[in-house]
Amino acid sequence: MNIFLAQSEAEDVISDELNNILENAPSTPGEALEVIVSKFQSLWTGMLQSLPIIMIGLVVFLVLYVVARVVSRGFGHTLEKTNADPVVSRLLTRVLKTILVMVAALFALSTMGVAIGNVVTFLAVLGFAVGLAVQGILENFVAGVILLMRKPFRAGDQIITGDFEGTVDDVDFRVTALIGYDGTRQLIPNGQVYSNPLVNLTGAGKRRSTVTVGVDYRDDHDEAREVIRAALVGLEGVLEDPAPEVLLTELGDSSVNFEVRYWTEPSIRSVRHTQDRVLAAVKTAVEGAGMTIPWPIRTLVVDGPVDVGQRPD
């Protein structure tokens, strides 16, 4: 019974409010226009009265914004002098600048007489709502922070992540930027870099390469091993430590195959150019020693007579 009484009382209140609005509403278009003009005049008067304090707030914000830029730039230069990772330095500088600009905006609003507590509450609610709407962006931001903390790579490292390969150029709030070997710039979401397997090609400071060299069965294979090893000694790009290795790994169809292992500087350019020199040096050394690098040979055995006739016109 009480529920029905409460509902009835609510309906009466709403009805009374509607009646008041209708009674006070302008009865003619002229009266309506007068009300609108009056409202705009009061709004304009209030804005003019508040204009000096608004200008002061804007000046305060501009001054603090310049200070924020100077401080963040100085912070970045300080990090560069400490030999910190350039990627980490850039991201930390951006985070500091963003925080300082937000503080400058809040201080300017406070100067204008805005209640900062209400603004902070509004920003918190807005941030929560926006966070739900842009979960992917937040995921990439968190993944970028984790990558910079764990440091699986540094600026200038050459990495493979997923289907992408290149040199690390930058990591920002959203993406990891790679420069491909063909000069293309690849932007990969941080979340994808973090969740996919990652290979750092240059992180260890050196890389091992392997090429296969085959010599004829009729050649002295122990001598061939020494000839190949000697061809690598002192060759440009081949590191002395660890020393190159020449291992007999296969008795192939047409040749005895050696696996030639050697170490180089880790960059892809060094790897490719050194491989070119290694293959050229090994071929020249083997042929210079009177040995043969055979090409594939196939022997055909025909069971029965073969009629070799003249090809018809």
Side-chain angles (χ1 to χ4, degrees):
M1 191 63 167
N2 293 333
I3 296 176
F4 292 109
L5 289 175
Q7 181 178 358
S8 177
E9 292 175 357
E11 292 176 352
D12 292 340
V13 172
I14 295 173
S15 178
D16 292 340
E17 291 294 334
L18 290 175
N19 291 331
N20 290 333
I21 293 173
L22 292 175
E23 290 175 358
N24 297 325
S27 57
T28 63
E31 293 179 357
L33 181 59
E34 290 179 1
V35 172
I36 294 174
V37 171
S38 176
K39 293 294 184 183
F40 271 107
Q41 286 178 345
S42 61
L43 180 63
W44 177 254
T45 302
M47 187 174 67
L48 290 178
Q49 293 175 349
S50 303
L51 186 59
I53 195 68
I54 293 176
M55 295 301 297
I56 293 174
L58 290 177
V59 171
V60 169
F61 174 74
L62 290 176
V63 171
L64 293 180
Y65 178 77
V66 172
V67 172
R69 286 179 59 90
V70 172
V71 171
S72 59
R73 188 172 299 175
F75 178 73
H77 291 327
T78 302
L79 288 179
E80 291 177 359
K81 293 179 180 179
T82 61
N83 295 324
D85 187 344
V87 173
V88 177
S89 300
R90 284 194 290 266
L91 183 60
L92 292 179
T93 302
R94 291 168 186 162
V95 171
L96 178 62
K97 181 180 176 182
T98 302
I99 293 174
L100 292 178
V101 170
M102 291 179 63
V103 172
L106 291 176
F107 190 82
L109 290 174
S110 176
T111 304
M112 297 178 189
V114 178
I116 298 301
N118 296 335
V119 175
V120 172
T121 303
F122 171 76
L123 291 177
V125 175
L126 180 63
F128 179 75
V130 172
L132 294 178
V134 292
Q135 294 183 13
I137 296 178
L138 292 178
E139 177 186 357
N140 290 327
F141 172 75
V142 173
V145 172
I146 295 176
L147 287 173
L148 292 174
M149 292 176 60
R150 297 183 60 184
K151 296 183 178 180
F153 52 78
R154 298 171 62 90
D157 280 347
Q158 294 174 351
I159 66 171
I160 300 175
T161 174
D163 297 328
F164 301 93
E165 180 176 354
T167 303
V168 177
D169 181 56
D170 191 16
V171 178
D172 61 17
F173 294 123
R174 192 177 66 85
V175 298
T176 296
L178 300 184
I179 303 299
Y181 304 137
D182 56 356
T184 58
R185 184 176 177 85
Q186 307 166 5
L187 302 179
I188 312 167
N190 291 330
Q192 183 175 335
V193 176
Y194 178 73
S195 60
N196 284 335
L198 186 145
V199 179
N200 191 331
L201 300 174
T202 56
K206 54 189 173 184
R207 289 176 64 181
R208 193 190 75 180
S209 298
T210 302
V211 296
T212 300
V213 179
V215 297
D216 195 283
Y217 271 94
R218 292 166 293 186
D219 293 328
D220 187 326
H221 306 116
D222 289 333
E223 181 183 356
R225 187 200 307 271
E226 295 305 319
V227 168
I228 295 172
R229 181 181 289 112
L232 301 181
V233 176
L235 189 64
E236 180 184 358
V238 177
L239 300 181
E240 297 181 0
D241 185 24
E245 296 179 301
V246 182
L247 306 176
L248 198 159
T249 57
E250 182 184 18
L251 300 177
D253 295 335
S254 306
S255 63
V256 176
N257 297 326
F258 291 94
E259 191 173 89
V260 183
R261 301 175 180 176
Y262 57 93
W263 293 80
T264 67
E265 297 294 330
S267 69
I268 190 67
R269 178 179 178 83
S270 176
V271 170
R272 296 295 185 227
H273 283 258
T274 303
Q275 178 177 306
D276 173 78
R277 287 189 288 267
V278 165
L279 290 174
V282 168
K283 181 177 184 297
T284 300
V286 169
E287 292 177 348
M291 301 180 185
T292 303
I293 300 177
W295 53 81
I297 299 174
R298 294 290 182 268
T299 302
L300 301 179
V301 178
V302 180
D303 187 8
V306 178
D307 184 11
V308 180
Q310 190 176 18
R311 187 174 66 178
D313 294 334

